[in-house]
Amino acid sequence: TTAATPRGKLGASITTDDYPPASIRAEEEGQVIAQYEVNEQGRVTPGSCQITKSSGFSRLDARTCELVERRFRFNPALSNGT
């Protein structure tokens, strides 16, 4: 049994260019921690992203999940070779 592993650097998948323009104008910033499921194809399962530590700004939290679900890729977990 092996856990899912990232393809490339996940942190490089989200950059300052992805910051919501309204959040820039409002000077919103913070750190977000998200939890999500990875499917058999190595993609984040749509709708599975959950914020476990909020930035304090719903706009930033929502953007994080949007980008995680769209961009993150993994080598899927294996159990008994499947």
Side-chain angles (χ1 to χ4, degrees):
T1 301
T2 59
T5 56
R7 292 183 193 161
K9 290 182 164 184
L10 297 180
S13 298
I14 300 175
T15 70
T16 55
D17 292 337
D18 295 312
Y19 228 80
S23 293
I24 293 171
R25 288 190 298 277
E27 298 181 6
E28 298 172 345
E29 59 182 57
Q31 293 183 340
V32 178
I33 298 176
Q35 180 177 333
Y36 44 86
E37 294 176 8
V38 176
N39 66 23
E40 297 84 8
Q41 290 76 40
R43 301 198 58 165
V44 175
T45 303
S48 72
C49 184
Q50 302 276 325
I51 300 300
T52 58
K53 179 181 180 267
S54 173
S55 65
F57 300 98
S58 60
R59 186 176 15 238
L60 296 179
D61 297 348
R63 182 69 170 152
T64 297
C65 278
E66 176 189 334
L67 294 170
V68 163
E69 290 183 8
R70 186 174 351 139
R71 295 184 182 168
F72 282 17
R73 301 290 182 272
F74 294 83
N75 298 309
L78 294 175
S79 179
N80 298 322
T82 305

